[in-house]
Amino acid sequence: MTSIRLNNVSKSWGSVEALKGISFEVAPGNFTVLLGPSGCGKSTLIRIVAGLETVSGGEIFIGDRNVTACAPAERNISMVFQSYALFPHLNVAENILFGLKVRKATPAKQKEGLDRVATMLGLTPYLARKPSKLSGGQQQRVAMARAIISEAPICLMDEPMSNLDAQLRNEMRMEIQGLQKELGITMLYVTHDQIEAMTMADQIVLLNGGRTEQIGHPTELYGAPCSQFAARFIGTPPMNVFPAGDLTRGALSRSFRPDLVARPDLLMGVRPEDIYLGEDGVEAKLVNVEYLGADKILHCELDGSRILVRTSRETSPSIGSTLRLVWKNEDVHLFSKETQQKIN
Ligand code: ADP
Ligand code: MG
């Protein structure tokens, strides 16, 4: 097992600054997810770690080795990309073995490796098929098998599941995570999907506009988001964020946090799952109900702000009625209106 460390990595193309001083470490055997909206620099960063892109500044270490100037082949990593890039004219076995053949592994080593990864990924029945005769999920497994058979201590994946349907993605999440732990691979995995990040990561690196917004375990990003961006990017539906204490909201603020009255500089955040319907809460009008099967999302209007409340499927207030919303002080997150950062 080995680590990856990025030290102040930046990347520009002319005037486009894609990465602005990124630093973090992936511990040996850790599953780190690079998460962020489209265009925030995730692919650029993972391609830099792979050696497919040069840096404009900063350094990359794999273990104790500074690999910033090393070619991809010298970095001892395997990769799985969004387009599986399987060779269409080669069958599954040949696709999986391609890298081992290039490296002139012995036939015995090739056979042993192929048997092992094909069994692991349920590909044994398909070894003679061409990729065009496989489903998206099977093609994805072939791409993973090709990465795993290399036995590289580090694996990089860039949105490997974006071509799969939702149900398959759910299954593959657990499969990828299980394999990573079983093989003790150090993983850097890119996604824009916060559910993938939350379910698989030991560590999330949340990127926003080429900078790191927050780094931590999923429970830290969910429970203690450092900014309004982090608060709203993680969690579905996103955290409610509304002006905390401007005077028109006196009633709201007084009910819960007297210290927030007349604080127009603050934004208050409460997750939909932390709001309850009570006898004596803040009055809000129910304007819509989203039925999700296991639960319901109530869309409420409160002093001009839209507040979402996650509630049990048994609750059935009628649209247009007045509800009373309650939440606990410890579930309130405060952000500066000016900087959007968390206030302690
Ligand atoms: P993500 O993978 O998070 O969607 P990318 O890393 O692909 O984001 O892109 C980050 C930014 O860098 C975007 O603004 C993108 O347009 C820009 N970019 C990416 N590759 C190039 C390139 N080869 N030349 C110029 N700009 C690029
Ligand atoms: Mg990308």
Side-chain angles (χ1 to χ4, degrees):
M1 289 202 271
T2 187
S3 62
I4 308 170
R5 187 159 60 86
L6 280 76
N7 180 22
N8 206 19
V9 168
S10 62
K11 177 69 182 178
S12 303
W13 282 281
S15 61
V16 179
E17 248 189 306
L19 299 173
K20 303 163 189 167
I22 306 279
S23 301
F24 64 88
E25 182 163 358
V26 185
N30 184 281
F31 196 126
T32 289
V33 173
L34 276 178
L35 175 68
S38 179
C40 71
K42 305 180 295 297
S43 292
T44 304
L45 190 54
I46 205 167
R47 287 172 57 78
I48 282 176
V49 174
L52 300 171
E53 236 20 291
T54 56
V55 299
S56 304
E59 296 157 318
I60 298 142
F61 293 85
I62 291 182
D64 295 330
R65 230 173 115 223
N66 184 336
V67 297
T68 317
C70 293
E74 297 171 71
R75 298 188 184 199
N76 201 12
I77 52 188
S78 63
M79 286 175 275
V80 180
F81 289 109
Q82 176 175 352
S83 56
Y84 317 125
L86 302 177
F87 299 109
H89 59 290
L90 300 182
N91 67 25
V92 167
E94 291 161 339
N95 264 288
I96 295 174
L97 287 171
F98 188 82
L100 288 192
K101 284 193 172 143
V102 169
R103 293 209 305 277
K104 304 209 165 37
T106 63
K109 175 117 178 121
Q110 290 183 32
K111 179 170 184 322
E112 182 209 332
L114 181 62
D115 287 349
R116 193 167 65 95
V117 299
T119 307
M120 199 182 271
L121 288 159
L123 288 169
T124 310
Y126 311 110
L127 291 175
R129 278 202 207 170
K130 294 278 165 61
S132 60
K133 300 282 189 298
L134 299 175
S135 70
Q138 290 161 341
Q139 291 184 37
Q140 207 264 359
R141 286 198 189 119
V142 176
M144 281 172 49
R146 193 172 51 184
I148 286 164
I149 202 171
S150 73
E151 293 183 5
I154 291 177
C155 185
L156 309 179
M157 295 195 179
D158 189 356
E159 311 233 16
M161 299 206 274
S162 45
N163 298 332
L164 306 184
D165 62 49
Q167 191 172 347
L168 203 48
R169 275 209 299 271
N170 288 344
E171 293 167 18
M172 293 302 291
R173 286 205 298 261
M174 294 297 112
E175 202 163 309
I176 292 176
Q177 197 204 30
L179 278 171
Q180 180 265 339
K181 290 280 174 264
E182 191 181 324
L183 299 171
I185 295 169
T186 304
M187 176 76 89
L188 187 57
Y189 182 105
V190 163
T191 184
H192 65 272
D193 178 349
Q194 54 103 17
I195 295 182
E196 267 179 38
M198 294 295 281
T199 51
M200 295 198 288
D202 299 315
Q203 169 176 263
I204 295 177
V205 176
L206 180 62
L207 294 183
N208 179 17
R211 291 182 207 281
T212 43
E213 187 78 17
Q214 190 167 2
I215 300 177
H217 187 269
T219 53
E220 278 175 75
L221 273 83
Y222 179 82
C226 71
S227 63
Q228 192 185 169
F229 176 86
R232 289 187 57 86
F233 199 81
I234 294 201
T236 38
M239 185 187 286
N240 299 295
V241 179
F242 44 91
D246 62 32
L247 286 174
T248 60
R249 292 169 182 283
L252 168 63
S253 303
R254 267 196 302 277
S255 305
F256 298 93
R257 293 278 299 259
D259 56 314
L260 297 182
V261 175
R263 289 295 303 272
D265 55 322
L266 295 187
L267 296 170
M268 185 190 265
V270 190
R271 294 210 180 269
E273 50 275 42
D274 290 333
I275 304 181
Y276 308 89
L277 303 185
E279 303 273 287
D280 58 352
V282 180
E283 282 191 5
K285 191 172 166 205
L286 180 63
V287 292
N288 219 335
V289 178
E290 244 180 297
Y291 175 65
L292 297 177
D295 42 25
K296 279 181 183 166
I297 309 297
L298 308 180
H299 292 239
C300 303
E301 196 103 350
L302 196 156
D303 274 359
S305 290
R306 180 62 67 98
I307 307 281
L308 306 189
V309 180
R310 186 187 288 279
T311 182
S312 80
R313 61 173 174 249
E314 284 82 27
T315 319
S316 47
S318 45
I319 291 175
S321 62
T322 298
L323 304 177
R324 290 180 171 274
L325 309 183
V326 187
W327 56 82
K328 297 182 198 143
N329 281 339
E330 67 253 36
D331 291 331
V332 170
H333 304 256
L334 294 176
F335 305 101
S336 155
K337 202 181 224 169
E338 190 191 345
T339 66
Q340 311 271 306
Q341 300 299 302
K342 179 190 164 86
I343 307 269
N344 288 314

